[in-house]
Amino acid sequence: MNKYKHLFFDLDRTLWDFDRNSTETFKELFNKYRLDESDCCNFNEFLNNYREHNLRLWEMYRNGDIEKDVLSVKRFEIALGDFGITDPELVKAFAKEYLELSPLQTHLLPHTHEILTYLKPYYHLHIITNGFKEVQDVKVKKSDLEKYFEHIITSEEAGYKKPDIRIFEYTLDKTGANADECLMIGDDPESDIDGARNAGIDQVLVNHSNIQHNGGITYVIDSLKDLKSIL
């Protein structure tokens, strides 16, 4: 598709394997703080409980209902509290170390390096992410992704979070691109797809997990390697 000149990629769960990297970090911390010996819960119970709270709090963060610093601690405070662990110092330490350790993990979704290597000579590549800047920058560097991208735009930098149209407008302005020559590639039907559509940008839903969506998407693919059929 020669009309496209700029490709905007989401990071978490599109390129960087958030679920696998997060799980490995949790296992490390779960063992470090000997939660497996406390008889409060097993690892899978804790992880599933945390994920439910984390999704809810991230939705609040995207909507501007809570601040970043509250989110980063509150999700652990609630998840640990559900199992009777209420030590505030442990909660703070767990939250701090999670943010330090998780971005050091380097597992990527299948075909990430393959497809970025394929696309790099022909397109301007950029990242648009809602993640915390200090965390996302480390992920990109540690996973050897920095070499592919001209701009890594976080919601903190832009002042708005996907799917807010203003983060896409900020990105268009910063990259000097026109909406009709751009393509947004992400895994989230709301944040990535709806947000880009509202900004007049074509979209690719990378449906790794076969999630339900409402349609109206420019392209839907099952794997990053399928971008070769589009670009």
mmCIF file with all atom_site columns, all heavy atoms in Angstrom, residues 5 15 26 28 42 48 50-51 65 81 86 97 109 117 119-120 124 134 142 144 200 208 216-217 225 229:
data_model
loop_
_atom_site.group_PDB
_atom_site.id
_atom_site.type_symbol
_atom_site.label_atom_id
_atom_site.label_alt_id
_atom_site.label_comp_id
_atom_site.label_asym_id
_atom_site.label_entity_id
_atom_site.label_seq_id
_atom_site.pdbx_PDB_ins_code
_atom_site.Cartn_x
_atom_site.Cartn_y
_atom_site.Cartn_z
_atom_site.occupancy
_atom_site.B_iso_or_equiv
_atom_site.pdbx_formal_charge
_atom_site.auth_seq_id
_atom_site.auth_comp_id
_atom_site.auth_asym_id
_atom_site.auth_atom_id
_atom_site.pdbx_PDB_model_num
ATOM 1   N N   . LYS A 1 5   ? 3.040   6.161   4.546  1.00 0.00 ? 5   LYS A N   1
ATOM 2   C CA  . LYS A 1 5   ? 4.431   6.566   4.731  1.00 0.00 ? 5   LYS A CA  1
ATOM 3   C C   . LYS A 1 5   ? 4.879   6.423   6.181  1.00 0.00 ? 5   LYS A C   1
ATOM 4   O O   . LYS A 1 5   ? 6.051   6.196   6.456  1.00 0.00 ? 5   LYS A O   1
ATOM 5   C CB  . LYS A 1 5   ? 4.615   8.019   4.287  1.00 0.00 ? 5   LYS A CB  1
ATOM 6   C CG  . LYS A 1 5   ? 4.347   8.258   2.804  1.00 0.00 ? 5   LYS A CG  1
ATOM 7   C CD  . LYS A 1 5   ? 4.527   9.728   2.438  1.00 0.00 ? 5   LYS A CD  1
ATOM 8   C CE  . LYS A 1 5   ? 4.226   9.972   0.968  1.00 0.00 ? 5   LYS A CE  1
ATOM 9   N NZ  . LYS A 1 5   ? 4.365   11.416  0.602  1.00 0.00 ? 5   LYS A NZ  1
ATOM 10  N N   . LEU A 1 15  ? 3.903   -5.412  20.346 1.00 0.00 ? 15  LEU A N   1
ATOM 11  C CA  . LEU A 1 15  ? 5.291   -5.802  20.092 1.00 0.00 ? 15  LEU A CA  1
ATOM 12  C C   . LEU A 1 15  ? 5.896   -6.488  21.314 1.00 0.00 ? 15  LEU A C   1
ATOM 13  O O   . LEU A 1 15  ? 6.453   -7.587  21.216 1.00 0.00 ? 15  LEU A O   1
ATOM 14  C CB  . LEU A 1 15  ? 6.121   -4.569  19.732 1.00 0.00 ? 15  LEU A CB  1
ATOM 15  C CG  . LEU A 1 15  ? 5.668   -3.738  18.517 1.00 0.00 ? 15  LEU A CG  1
ATOM 16  C CD1 . LEU A 1 15  ? 6.526   -2.483  18.395 1.00 0.00 ? 15  LEU A CD1 1
ATOM 17  C CD2 . LEU A 1 15  ? 5.731   -4.562  17.240 1.00 0.00 ? 15  LEU A CD2 1
ATOM 18  N N   . PHE A 1 26  ? 6.385   -11.082 38.262 1.00 0.00 ? 26  PHE A N   1
ATOM 19  C CA  . PHE A 1 26  ? 5.588   -11.430 39.435 1.00 0.00 ? 26  PHE A CA  1
ATOM 20  C C   . PHE A 1 26  ? 6.117   -12.677 40.125 1.00 0.00 ? 26  PHE A C   1
ATOM 21  O O   . PHE A 1 26  ? 6.156   -12.762 41.353 1.00 0.00 ? 26  PHE A O   1
ATOM 22  C CB  . PHE A 1 26  ? 4.118   -11.618 39.057 1.00 0.00 ? 26  PHE A CB  1
ATOM 23  C CG  . PHE A 1 26  ? 3.332   -10.347 39.054 1.00 0.00 ? 26  PHE A CG  1
ATOM 24  C CD1 . PHE A 1 26  ? 2.683   -9.925  37.908 1.00 0.00 ? 26  PHE A CD1 1
ATOM 25  C CD2 . PHE A 1 26  ? 3.248   -9.552  40.188 1.00 0.00 ? 26  PHE A CD2 1
ATOM 26  C CE1 . PHE A 1 26  ? 1.963   -8.749  37.894 1.00 0.00 ? 26  PHE A CE1 1
ATOM 27  C CE2 . PHE A 1 26  ? 2.530   -8.375  40.186 1.00 0.00 ? 26  PHE A CE2 1
ATOM 28  C CZ  . PHE A 1 26  ? 1.885   -7.969  39.034 1.00 0.00 ? 26  PHE A CZ  1
ATOM 29  N N   . GLU A 1 28  ? 9.159   -13.705 40.224 1.00 0.00 ? 28  GLU A N   1
ATOM 30  C CA  . GLU A 1 28  ? 10.389  -13.318 40.924 1.00 0.00 ? 28  GLU A CA  1
ATOM 31  C C   . GLU A 1 28  ? 10.076  -12.626 42.246 1.00 0.00 ? 28  GLU A C   1
ATOM 32  O O   . GLU A 1 28  ? 10.659  -12.947 43.297 1.00 0.00 ? 28  GLU A O   1
ATOM 33  C CB  . GLU A 1 28  ? 11.217  -12.411 40.024 1.00 0.00 ? 28  GLU A CB  1
ATOM 34  C CG  . GLU A 1 28  ? 12.543  -11.990 40.613 1.00 0.00 ? 28  GLU A CG  1
ATOM 35  C CD  . GLU A 1 28  ? 13.378  -11.156 39.661 1.00 0.00 ? 28  GLU A CD  1
ATOM 36  O OE1 . GLU A 1 28  ? 13.080  -11.150 38.452 1.00 0.00 ? 28  GLU A OE1 1
ATOM 37  O OE2 . GLU A 1 28  ? 14.331  -10.498 40.134 1.00 0.00 ? 28  GLU A OE2 1
ATOM 38  N N   . ASN A 1 42  ? -2.058  -18.908 46.340 1.00 0.00 ? 42  ASN A N   1
ATOM 39  C CA  . ASN A 1 42  ? -1.033  -19.430 45.445 1.00 0.00 ? 42  ASN A CA  1
ATOM 40  C C   . ASN A 1 42  ? -0.772  -18.406 44.342 1.00 0.00 ? 42  ASN A C   1
ATOM 41  O O   . ASN A 1 42  ? -1.493  -17.411 44.209 1.00 0.00 ? 42  ASN A O   1
ATOM 42  C CB  . ASN A 1 42  ? -1.433  -20.798 44.862 1.00 0.00 ? 42  ASN A CB  1
ATOM 43  C CG  . ASN A 1 42  ? -2.663  -20.731 43.981 1.00 0.00 ? 42  ASN A CG  1
ATOM 44  O OD1 . ASN A 1 42  ? -2.818  -19.836 43.154 1.00 0.00 ? 42  ASN A OD1 1
ATOM 45  N ND2 . ASN A 1 42  ? -3.567  -21.691 44.159 1.00 0.00 ? 42  ASN A ND2 1
ATOM 46  N N   . ASN A 1 48  ? -4.141  -13.646 38.875 1.00 0.00 ? 48  ASN A N   1
ATOM 47  C CA  . ASN A 1 48  ? -5.456  -13.391 38.276 1.00 0.00 ? 48  ASN A CA  1
ATOM 48  C C   . ASN A 1 48  ? -6.190  -12.266 39.016 1.00 0.00 ? 48  ASN A C   1
ATOM 49  O O   . ASN A 1 48  ? -6.855  -11.421 38.391 1.00 0.00 ? 48  ASN A O   1
ATOM 50  C CB  . ASN A 1 48  ? -6.302  -14.669 38.300 1.00 0.00 ? 48  ASN A CB  1
ATOM 51  C CG  . ASN A 1 48  ? -5.781  -15.710 37.329 1.00 0.00 ? 48  ASN A CG  1
ATOM 52  O OD1 . ASN A 1 48  ? -5.139  -15.385 36.332 1.00 0.00 ? 48  ASN A OD1 1
ATOM 53  N ND2 . ASN A 1 48  ? -6.041  -16.976 37.613 1.00 0.00 ? 48  ASN A ND2 1
ATOM 54  N N   . TYR A 1 50  ? -4.760  -9.806  40.732 1.00 0.00 ? 50  TYR A N   1
ATOM 55  C CA  . TYR A 1 50  ? -4.075  -8.553  40.401 1.00 0.00 ? 50  TYR A CA  1
ATOM 56  C C   . TYR A 1 50  ? -4.505  -8.033  39.030 1.00 0.00 ? 50  TYR A C   1
ATOM 57  O O   . TYR A 1 50  ? -4.776  -6.837  38.860 1.00 0.00 ? 50  TYR A O   1
ATOM 58  C CB  . TYR A 1 50  ? -2.555  -8.753  40.412 1.00 0.00 ? 50  TYR A CB  1
ATOM 59  C CG  . TYR A 1 50  ? -1.825  -7.622  39.732 1.00 0.00 ? 50  TYR A CG  1
ATOM 60  C CD1 . TYR A 1 50  ? -1.560  -6.433  40.405 1.00 0.00 ? 50  TYR A CD1 1
ATOM 61  C CD2 . TYR A 1 50  ? -1.443  -7.734  38.394 1.00 0.00 ? 50  TYR A CD2 1
ATOM 62  C CE1 . TYR A 1 50  ? -0.915  -5.388  39.768 1.00 0.00 ? 50  TYR A CE1 1
ATOM 63  C CE2 . TYR A 1 50  ? -0.803  -6.685  37.746 1.00 0.00 ? 50  TYR A CE2 1
ATOM 64  C CZ  . TYR A 1 50  ? -0.544  -5.513  38.443 1.00 0.00 ? 50  TYR A CZ  1
ATOM 65  O OH  . TYR A 1 50  ? 0.073   -4.469  37.805 1.00 0.00 ? 50  TYR A OH  1
ATOM 66  N N   . ARG A 1 51  ? -4.582  -8.913  38.047 1.00 0.00 ? 51  ARG A N   1
ATOM 67  C CA  . ARG A 1 51  ? -4.918  -8.480  36.689 1.00 0.00 ? 51  ARG A CA  1
ATOM 68  C C   . ARG A 1 51  ? -6.293  -7.839  36.626 1.00 0.00 ? 51  ARG A C   1
ATOM 69  O O   . ARG A 1 51  ? -6.502  -6.863  35.905 1.00 0.00 ? 51  ARG A O   1
ATOM 70  C CB  . ARG A 1 51  ? -4.822  -9.667  35.727 1.00 0.00 ? 51  ARG A CB  1
ATOM 71  C CG  . ARG A 1 51  ? -3.387  -10.041 35.375 1.00 0.00 ? 51  ARG A CG  1
ATOM 72  C CD  . ARG A 1 51  ? -3.310  -11.286 34.523 1.00 0.00 ? 51  ARG A CD  1
ATOM 73  N NE  . ARG A 1 51  ? -1.943  -11.522 34.058 1.00 0.00 ? 51  ARG A NE  1
ATOM 74  C CZ  . ARG A 1 51  ? -1.537  -12.631 33.462 1.00 0.00 ? 51  ARG A CZ  1
ATOM 75  N NH1 . ARG A 1 51  ? -2.415  -13.625 33.273 1.00 0.00 ? 51  ARG A NH1 1
ATOM 76  N NH2 . ARG A 1 51  ? -0.291  -12.772 33.064 1.00 0.00 ? 51  ARG A NH2 1
ATOM 77  N N   . ASP A 1 65  ? -9.297  9.642   35.997 1.00 0.00 ? 65  ASP A N   1
ATOM 78  C CA  . ASP A 1 65  ? -9.905  9.583   37.325 1.00 0.00 ? 65  ASP A CA  1
ATOM 79  C C   . ASP A 1 65  ? -8.888  9.362   38.440 1.00 0.00 ? 65  ASP A C   1
ATOM 80  O O   . ASP A 1 65  ? -9.184  9.643   39.610 1.00 0.00 ? 65  ASP A O   1
ATOM 81  C CB  . ASP A 1 65  ? -10.957 8.468   37.368 1.00 0.00 ? 65  ASP A CB  1
ATOM 82  C CG  . ASP A 1 65  ? -12.110 8.734   36.410 1.00 0.00 ? 65  ASP A CG  1
ATOM 83  O OD1 . ASP A 1 65  ? -12.425 9.919   36.200 1.00 0.00 ? 65  ASP A OD1 1
ATOM 84  O OD2 . ASP A 1 65  ? -12.675 7.776   35.866 1.00 0.00 ? 65  ASP A OD2 1
ATOM 85  N N   . GLY A 1 81  ? -4.087  -6.885  49.538 1.00 0.00 ? 81  GLY A N   1
ATOM 86  C CA  . GLY A 1 81  ? -5.051  -6.762  50.626 1.00 0.00 ? 81  GLY A CA  1
ATOM 87  C C   . GLY A 1 81  ? -6.150  -7.795  50.543 1.00 0.00 ? 81  GLY A C   1
ATOM 88  O O   . GLY A 1 81  ? -6.670  -8.246  51.583 1.00 0.00 ? 81  GLY A O   1
ATOM 89  N N   . THR A 1 86  ? -1.448  -6.590  54.343 1.00 0.00 ? 86  THR A N   1
ATOM 90  C CA  . THR A 1 86  ? -1.739  -5.151  54.459 1.00 0.00 ? 86  THR A CA  1
ATOM 91  C C   . THR A 1 86  ? -0.530  -4.326  54.885 1.00 0.00 ? 86  THR A C   1
ATOM 92  O O   . THR A 1 86  ? -0.666  -3.155  55.215 1.00 0.00 ? 86  THR A O   1
ATOM 93  C CB  . THR A 1 86  ? -2.885  -4.929  55.469 1.00 0.00 ? 86  THR A CB  1
ATOM 94  O OG1 . THR A 1 86  ? -2.513  -5.488  56.737 1.00 0.00 ? 86  THR A OG1 1
ATOM 95  C CG2 . THR A 1 86  ? -4.172  -5.586  54.980 1.00 0.00 ? 86  THR A CG2 1
ATOM 96  N N   . GLU A 1 97  ? 9.536   -2.282  42.961 1.00 0.00 ? 97  GLU A N   1
ATOM 97  C CA  . GLU A 1 97  ? 10.387  -3.264  42.292 1.00 0.00 ? 97  GLU A CA  1
ATOM 98  C C   . GLU A 1 97  ? 9.733   -3.811  41.026 1.00 0.00 ? 97  GLU A C   1
ATOM 99  O O   . GLU A 1 97  ? 10.422  -4.140  40.062 1.00 0.00 ? 97  GLU A O   1
ATOM 100 C CB  . GLU A 1 97  ? 10.739  -4.394  43.256 1.00 0.00 ? 97  GLU A CB  1
ATOM 101 C CG  . GLU A 1 97  ? 11.665  -3.923  44.364 1.00 0.00 ? 97  GLU A CG  1
ATOM 102 C CD  . GLU A 1 97  ? 12.115  -5.060  45.263 1.00 0.00 ? 97  GLU A CD  1
ATOM 103 O OE1 . GLU A 1 97  ? 12.475  -6.135  44.739 1.00 0.00 ? 97  GLU A OE1 1
ATOM 104 O OE2 . GLU A 1 97  ? 12.097  -4.879  46.495 1.00 0.00 ? 97  GLU A OE2 1
ATOM 105 N N   . LEU A 1 109 ? 6.447   -10.343 21.140 1.00 0.00 ? 109 LEU A N   1
ATOM 106 C CA  . LEU A 1 109 ? 5.477   -11.161 20.420 1.00 0.00 ? 109 LEU A CA  1
ATOM 107 C C   . LEU A 1 109 ? 6.140   -11.759 19.187 1.00 0.00 ? 109 LEU A C   1
ATOM 108 O O   . LEU A 1 109 ? 7.092   -11.181 18.646 1.00 0.00 ? 109 LEU A O   1
ATOM 109 C CB  . LEU A 1 109 ? 4.274   -10.315 20.025 1.00 0.00 ? 109 LEU A CB  1
ATOM 110 C CG  . LEU A 1 109 ? 3.125   -10.180 21.040 1.00 0.00 ? 109 LEU A CG  1
ATOM 111 C CD1 . LEU A 1 109 ? 2.533   -11.531 21.408 1.00 0.00 ? 109 LEU A CD1 1
ATOM 112 C CD2 . LEU A 1 109 ? 3.544   -9.446  22.285 1.00 0.00 ? 109 LEU A CD2 1
ATOM 113 N N   . THR A 1 117 ? 12.215  -5.301  10.810 1.00 0.00 ? 117 THR A N   1
ATOM 114 C CA  . THR A 1 117 ? 13.344  -5.295  9.874  1.00 0.00 ? 117 THR A CA  1
ATOM 115 C C   . THR A 1 117 ? 12.843  -5.184  8.433  1.00 0.00 ? 117 THR A C   1
ATOM 116 O O   . THR A 1 117 ? 13.427  -4.472  7.601  1.00 0.00 ? 117 THR A O   1
ATOM 117 C CB  . THR A 1 117 ? 14.187  -6.563  10.044 1.00 0.00 ? 117 THR A CB  1
ATOM 118 O OG1 . THR A 1 117 ? 14.711  -6.613  11.381 1.00 0.00 ? 117 THR A OG1 1
ATOM 119 C CG2 . THR A 1 117 ? 15.347  -6.601  9.059  1.00 0.00 ? 117 THR A CG2 1
ATOM 120 N N   . LEU A 1 119 ? 9.981   -3.793  7.447  1.00 0.00 ? 119 LEU A N   1
ATOM 121 C CA  . LEU A 1 119 ? 9.313   -2.516  7.197  1.00 0.00 ? 119 LEU A CA  1
ATOM 122 C C   . LEU A 1 119 ? 10.249  -1.311  7.227  1.00 0.00 ? 119 LEU A C   1
ATOM 123 O O   . LEU A 1 119 ? 10.003  -0.304  6.555  1.00 0.00 ? 119 LEU A O   1
ATOM 124 C CB  . LEU A 1 119 ? 8.208   -2.304  8.243  1.00 0.00 ? 119 LEU A CB  1
ATOM 125 C CG  . LEU A 1 119 ? 7.030   -3.276  8.206  1.00 0.00 ? 119 LEU A CG  1
ATOM 126 C CD1 . LEU A 1 119 ? 6.144   -3.064  9.435  1.00 0.00 ? 119 LEU A CD1 1
ATOM 127 C CD2 . LEU A 1 119 ? 6.219   -3.114  6.926  1.00 0.00 ? 119 LEU A CD2 1
ATOM 128 N N   . LYS A 1 120 ? 11.294  -1.392  8.023  1.00 0.00 ? 120 LYS A N   1
ATOM 129 C CA  . LYS A 1 120 ? 12.158  -0.234  8.299  1.00 0.00 ? 120 LYS A CA  1
ATOM 130 C C   . LYS A 1 120 ? 12.670  0.475   7.037  1.00 0.00 ? 120 LYS A C   1
ATOM 131 O O   . LYS A 1 120 ? 12.688  1.720   6.997  1.00 0.00 ? 120 LYS A O   1
ATOM 132 C CB  . LYS A 1 120 ? 13.334  -0.672  9.182  1.00 0.00 ? 120 LYS A CB  1
ATOM 133 C CG  . LYS A 1 120 ? 14.353  0.412   9.493  1.00 0.00 ? 120 LYS A CG  1
ATOM 134 C CD  . LYS A 1 120 ? 13.771  1.532   10.323 1.00 0.00 ? 120 LYS A CD  1
ATOM 135 C CE  . LYS A 1 120 ? 14.834  2.530   10.730 1.00 0.00 ? 120 LYS A CE  1
ATOM 136 N NZ  . LYS A 1 120 ? 14.270  3.721   11.399 1.00 0.00 ? 120 LYS A NZ  1
ATOM 137 N N   . HIS A 1 124 ? 8.451   5.253   7.741  1.00 0.00 ? 124 HIS A N   1
ATOM 138 C CA  . HIS A 1 124 ? 8.836   5.904   8.994  1.00 0.00 ? 124 HIS A CA  1
ATOM 139 C C   . HIS A 1 124 ? 8.075   5.189   10.118 1.00 0.00 ? 124 HIS A C   1
ATOM 140 O O   . HIS A 1 124 ? 6.843   5.159   10.115 1.00 0.00 ? 124 HIS A O   1
ATOM 141 C CB  . HIS A 1 124 ? 8.458   7.383   8.976  1.00 0.00 ? 124 HIS A CB  1
ATOM 142 C CG  . HIS A 1 124 ? 9.130   8.167   7.884  1.00 0.00 ? 124 HIS A CG  1
ATOM 143 N ND1 . HIS A 1 124 ? 10.451  8.551   7.943  1.00 0.00 ? 124 HIS A ND1 1
ATOM 144 C CD2 . HIS A 1 124 ? 8.646   8.629   6.697  1.00 0.00 ? 124 HIS A CD2 1
ATOM 145 C CE1 . HIS A 1 124 ? 10.764  9.224   6.856  1.00 0.00 ? 124 HIS A CE1 1
ATOM 146 N NE2 . HIS A 1 124 ? 9.688   9.286   6.080  1.00 0.00 ? 124 HIS A NE2 1
ATOM 147 N N   . GLU A 1 134 ? 9.199   6.425   31.772 1.00 0.00 ? 134 GLU A N   1
ATOM 148 C CA  . GLU A 1 134 ? 10.448  5.846   32.268 1.00 0.00 ? 134 GLU A CA  1
ATOM 149 C C   . GLU A 1 134 ? 10.463  4.333   32.129 1.00 0.00 ? 134 GLU A C   1
ATOM 150 O O   . GLU A 1 134 ? 11.522  3.706   32.017 1.00 0.00 ? 134 GLU A O   1
ATOM 151 C CB  . GLU A 1 134 ? 10.697  6.251   33.723 1.00 0.00 ? 134 GLU A CB  1
ATOM 152 C CG  . GLU A 1 134 ? 9.716   5.668   34.744 1.00 0.00 ? 134 GLU A CG  1
ATOM 153 C CD  . GLU A 1 134 ? 8.472   6.512   34.944 1.00 0.00 ? 134 GLU A CD  1
ATOM 154 O OE1 . GLU A 1 134 ? 8.147   7.333   34.063 1.00 0.00 ? 134 GLU A OE1 1
ATOM 155 O OE2 . GLU A 1 134 ? 7.811   6.336   35.982 1.00 0.00 ? 134 GLU A OE2 1
ATOM 156 N N   . LYS A 1 142 ? 15.973  -2.231  26.165 1.00 0.00 ? 142 LYS A N   1
ATOM 157 C CA  . LYS A 1 142 ? 16.385  -3.569  26.577 1.00 0.00 ? 142 LYS A CA  1
ATOM 158 C C   . LYS A 1 142 ? 15.976  -4.635  25.565 1.00 0.00 ? 142 LYS A C   1
ATOM 159 O O   . LYS A 1 142 ? 16.639  -5.675  25.441 1.00 0.00 ? 142 LYS A O   1
ATOM 160 C CB  . LYS A 1 142 ? 15.806  -3.905  27.953 1.00 0.00 ? 142 LYS A CB  1
ATOM 161 C CG  . LYS A 1 142 ? 16.441  -3.144  29.095 1.00 0.00 ? 142 LYS A CG  1
ATOM 162 C CD  . LYS A 1 142 ? 17.898  -3.546  29.284 1.00 0.00 ? 142 LYS A CD  1
ATOM 163 C CE  . LYS A 1 142 ? 18.524  -2.839  30.467 1.00 0.00 ? 142 LYS A CE  1
ATOM 164 N NZ  . LYS A 1 142 ? 19.960  -3.230  30.645 1.00 0.00 ? 142 LYS A NZ  1
ATOM 165 N N   . ASP A 1 144 ? 15.925  -4.227  22.369 1.00 0.00 ? 144 ASP A N   1
ATOM 166 C CA  . ASP A 1 144 ? 16.601  -3.930  21.111 1.00 0.00 ? 144 ASP A CA  1
ATOM 167 C C   . ASP A 1 144 ? 15.618  -3.460  20.039 1.00 0.00 ? 144 ASP A C   1
ATOM 168 O O   . ASP A 1 144 ? 15.734  -3.813  18.862 1.00 0.00 ? 144 ASP A O   1
ATOM 169 C CB  . ASP A 1 144 ? 17.374  -5.160  20.622 1.00 0.00 ? 144 ASP A CB  1
ATOM 170 C CG  . ASP A 1 144 ? 18.388  -4.825  19.537 1.00 0.00 ? 144 ASP A CG  1
ATOM 171 O OD1 . ASP A 1 144 ? 18.880  -3.676  19.511 1.00 0.00 ? 144 ASP A OD1 1
ATOM 172 O OD2 . ASP A 1 144 ? 18.678  -5.706  18.696 1.00 0.00 ? 144 ASP A OD2 1
ATOM 173 N N   . GLY A 1 200 ? -8.890  9.973   11.894 1.00 0.00 ? 200 GLY A N   1
ATOM 174 C CA  . GLY A 1 200 ? -8.797  9.861   10.445 1.00 0.00 ? 200 GLY A CA  1
ATOM 175 C C   . GLY A 1 200 ? -7.647  9.008   9.963  1.00 0.00 ? 200 GLY A C   1
ATOM 176 O O   . GLY A 1 200 ? -7.215  9.126   8.806  1.00 0.00 ? 200 GLY A O   1
ATOM 177 N N   . HIS A 1 208 ? -3.982  -10.927 18.351 1.00 0.00 ? 208 HIS A N   1
ATOM 178 C CA  . HIS A 1 208 ? -3.227  -12.065 18.859 1.00 0.00 ? 208 HIS A CA  1
ATOM 179 C C   . HIS A 1 208 ? -4.121  -13.035 19.626 1.00 0.00 ? 208 HIS A C   1
ATOM 180 O O   . HIS A 1 208 ? -3.932  -14.256 19.556 1.00 0.00 ? 208 HIS A O   1
ATOM 181 C CB  . HIS A 1 208 ? -2.128  -11.590 19.836 1.00 0.00 ? 208 HIS A CB  1
ATOM 182 C CG  . HIS A 1 208 ? -1.050  -10.774 19.210 1.00 0.00 ? 208 HIS A CG  1
ATOM 183 N ND1 . HIS A 1 208 ? -0.171  -11.276 18.284 1.00 0.00 ? 208 HIS A ND1 1
ATOM 184 C CD2 . HIS A 1 208 ? -0.689  -9.468  19.409 1.00 0.00 ? 208 HIS A CD2 1
ATOM 185 C CE1 . HIS A 1 208 ? 0.690   -10.335 17.935 1.00 0.00 ? 208 HIS A CE1 1
ATOM 186 N NE2 . HIS A 1 208 ? 0.399   -9.228  18.598 1.00 0.00 ? 208 HIS A NE2 1
ATOM 187 N N   . GLY A 1 216 ? -15.607 -2.642  11.404 1.00 0.00 ? 216 GLY A N   1
ATOM 188 C CA  . GLY A 1 216 ? -15.303 -1.294  10.948 1.00 0.00 ? 216 GLY A CA  1
ATOM 189 C C   . GLY A 1 216 ? -13.830 -0.955  11.001 1.00 0.00 ? 216 GLY A C   1
ATOM 190 O O   . GLY A 1 216 ? -13.447 0.218   11.033 1.00 0.00 ? 216 GLY A O   1
ATOM 191 N N   . ILE A 1 217 ? -12.988 -1.980  11.047 1.00 0.00 ? 217 ILE A N   1
ATOM 192 C CA  . ILE A 1 217 ? -11.535 -1.801  11.151 1.00 0.00 ? 217 ILE A CA  1
ATOM 193 C C   . ILE A 1 217 ? -10.931 -1.949  9.756  1.00 0.00 ? 217 ILE A C   1
ATOM 194 O O   . ILE A 1 217 ? -11.348 -2.818  8.980  1.00 0.00 ? 217 ILE A O   1
ATOM 195 C CB  . ILE A 1 217 ? -10.931 -2.839  12.118 1.00 0.00 ? 217 ILE A CB  1
ATOM 196 C CG1 . ILE A 1 217 ? -11.624 -2.741  13.483 1.00 0.00 ? 217 ILE A CG1 1
ATOM 197 C CG2 . ILE A 1 217 ? -9.432  -2.655  12.247 1.00 0.00 ? 217 ILE A CG2 1
ATOM 198 C CD1 . ILE A 1 217 ? -11.289 -3.884  14.421 1.00 0.00 ? 217 ILE A CD1 1
ATOM 199 N N   . LYS A 1 225 ? 3.354   -11.024 11.417 1.00 0.00 ? 225 LYS A N   1
ATOM 200 C CA  . LYS A 1 225 ? 3.902   -11.398 10.116 1.00 0.00 ? 225 LYS A CA  1
ATOM 201 C C   . LYS A 1 225 ? 2.913   -11.141 8.983  1.00 0.00 ? 225 LYS A C   1
ATOM 202 O O   . LYS A 1 225 ? 3.299   -10.961 7.829  1.00 0.00 ? 225 LYS A O   1
ATOM 203 C CB  . LYS A 1 225 ? 4.337   -12.860 10.103 1.00 0.00 ? 225 LYS A CB  1
ATOM 204 C CG  . LYS A 1 225 ? 3.204   -13.864 10.167 1.00 0.00 ? 225 LYS A CG  1
ATOM 205 C CD  . LYS A 1 225 ? 3.729   -15.284 10.106 1.00 0.00 ? 225 LYS A CD  1
ATOM 206 C CE  . LYS A 1 225 ? 2.553   -16.290 10.193 1.00 0.00 ? 225 LYS A CE  1
ATOM 207 N NZ  . LYS A 1 225 ? 3.054   -17.688 10.146 1.00 0.00 ? 225 LYS A NZ  1
ATOM 208 N N   . SER A 1 229 ? 1.227   -8.876  4.124  1.00 0.00 ? 229 SER A N   1
ATOM 209 C CA  . SER A 1 229 ? 0.164   -8.937  3.125  1.00 0.00 ? 229 SER A CA  1
ATOM 210 C C   . SER A 1 229 ? -0.476  -7.584  2.884  1.00 0.00 ? 229 SER A C   1
ATOM 211 O O   . SER A 1 229 ? -1.252  -7.397  1.940  1.00 0.00 ? 229 SER A O   1
ATOM 212 C CB  . SER A 1 229 ? -0.906  -9.948  3.543  1.00 0.00 ? 229 SER A CB  1
ATOM 213 O OG  . SER A 1 229 ? -1.593  -9.493  4.714  1.00 0.00 ? 229 SER A OG  1
#
